[in-house]
């Protein structure tokens, strides 16, 4: 039997429990992966808590979308993967588990120079950042303002934008400013006076803004600095983004991602793995917890008590 974290009702982290499940079988176009690391994302906690809309629960529901591990079985029609290959997983429900059947199209090869924890940590954060910056057409010469630059999505956005030739100003707590500088950003503290501090850091203004914080301060500062509202986006304030005249990517937005945006999210995983392997992208890893402690991981995520990506290890 395999093991997986499931929940049968929406609620606090203690609705999560470890359960025995049938060993997964690779269907046509699928690969069974022995999960060695699963990334914990805020969206996991929002779905579990019922704060992000999802279908009524009629049977034990699996959780987690990001992971990494080793191929154990290959389904009919799958090419490009072999038993024993190391892989990273994106956009596949149920990665909080010891094994999972995954569509082959949702896998990316993981070279030996990239750890399974790194592979499990990047699909949602890097995919969100990469797609958002592509949608905003960030390029060389832009001045990008990233709110919550020290979070997982923020760090990815900083690194992509710097690599593409943009100047990046990133908000964060003073304790995280050295880290933001190392990533190539100009750090500024959030809180009262943010607009003045950003203007001092970017005397000629910002040309594009990405909100990963969701605060009124972040939205208002972006609106004051960026003249083209089509170049302001949030990944948090989806439900009310339209009232500000700005764009929203996920974050509960009623407007779905386009086919091109979904393609960018898929493209981000292998692209980010290649950058990590080349030493050109850094992933901040946090605690590793046993799979059975998924509830504890969600408590840490929801209380903002952990720096770095939390990883569950089956």
């Amino acid at each position: 039997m395999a093991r997986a974290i499931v929940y049968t009702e929406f609620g606090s982290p203690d609705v999560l429990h470890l359960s025995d499940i049938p060993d997964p079988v690779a269907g046509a176009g699928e690969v069974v992966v022995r999960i060695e690391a699963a990334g914990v994302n805020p969206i996991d906690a929002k779905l579990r808590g019922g704060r992000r809309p999802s279908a009524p629960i009629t049977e034990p529901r699996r959780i987690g979308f990001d992971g990494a591990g080793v191929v154990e079985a290959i389904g009919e029609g799958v090419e490009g993967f072999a038993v024993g290959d190391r892989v990273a997983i994106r956009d596949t429900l149920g990665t909080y588990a010891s094994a999972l059947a995954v569509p082959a199209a949702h896998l990316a090869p993981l070279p030996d120079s990239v750890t399974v924890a790194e592979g499990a940590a990047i699909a949602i954060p890097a995919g969100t950042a990469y797609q958002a910056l592509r949608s905003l057409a960030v390029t060389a010469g832009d001045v990008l303002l990233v709110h919550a630059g020290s979070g997982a999505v923020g760090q990815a956005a900083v690194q992509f934008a710097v690599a593409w030739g943009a100047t990046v100003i990133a908000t964060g707590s003073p304790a995280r400013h050295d880290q933001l500088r190392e990533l190539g950003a100009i750090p500024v503290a959030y809180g009262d006076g943010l607009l003045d501090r950003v203007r001092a850091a970017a005397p000629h203004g910002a040309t594009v803004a990405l909100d990963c914080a969701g605060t009124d301060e972040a939205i208002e500062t972006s609106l004051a600095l960026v003249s083209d509202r089509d170049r302001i986006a949030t990944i948090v304030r989806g439900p009310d983004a339209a009232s500000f005249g700005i764009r929203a990517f996920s974050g509960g937005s009623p407007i779905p991602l386009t086919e091109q945006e979904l393609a960018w999210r898929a493209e981000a995983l292998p692209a980010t793995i290649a950058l990590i392997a080349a030493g050109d992208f850094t992933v901040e890893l946090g605690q590793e917890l046993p799979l059975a402690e998924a509830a504890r991981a969600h408590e840490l995520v929801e209380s903002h008590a952990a720096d770095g990506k939390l990883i569950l290890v089956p």
Side-chain angles (χ1 to χ4, degrees), residues 73-91:
I74 304 289
E76 181 182 354
V78 173
E79 297 180 355
F81 295 100
V83 172
D85 284 353
R86 302 172 76 247
V87 292
I89 302 165
R90 67 168 183 87
D91 194 25

Side-chain angles (χ1 to χ4, degrees), residues 123-272:
I124 285 179
T128 301
Y130 186 94
Q131 171 266 307
L133 298 188
R134 290 297 193 201
S135 295
L136 292 168
V138 172
T139 188
D142 271 321
V143 177
L144 168 68
L145 173 60
V146 178
H147 297 280
S150 60
V153 177
Q155 290 186 40
V158 167
Q159 293 180 84
F160 288 135
V162 168
W164 299 344
T167 297
V168 182
I169 300 163
T171 72
S173 67
R176 307 281 272 173
H177 283 189
D178 284 346
Q179 178 193 42
L180 289 169
R181 289 188 189 96
E182 291 174 4
L183 297 178
I186 301 167
V188 295
Y190 51 74
D192 290 344
L194 174 62
L195 179 57
D196 290 338
R197 289 191 294 276
V198 175
R199 281 179 168 151
H204 300 295
T207 57
V208 58
L210 178 62
D211 165 42
C212 305
T215 62
D216 289 344
E217 171 190 65
I219 301 294
E220 290 165 2
T221 301
S222 298
L223 292 172
L225 291 168
V226 179
S227 58
D228 183 355
R229 294 195 176 189
D230 280 342
R231 302 201 77 200
I232 302 173
T234 179
I235 64 164
V236 186
R237 295 281 290 270
D240 63 349
S243 68
F244 300 108
I246 66 175
R247 305 169 74 180
F249 307 123
S250 302
S253 172
I255 302 173
L257 296 176
T258 66
E259 289 299 318
Q260 177 61 78
E261 288 166 343
L262 292 171
W264 280 326
R265 292 207 174 189
E267 180 181 303
L269 181 58
T272 306

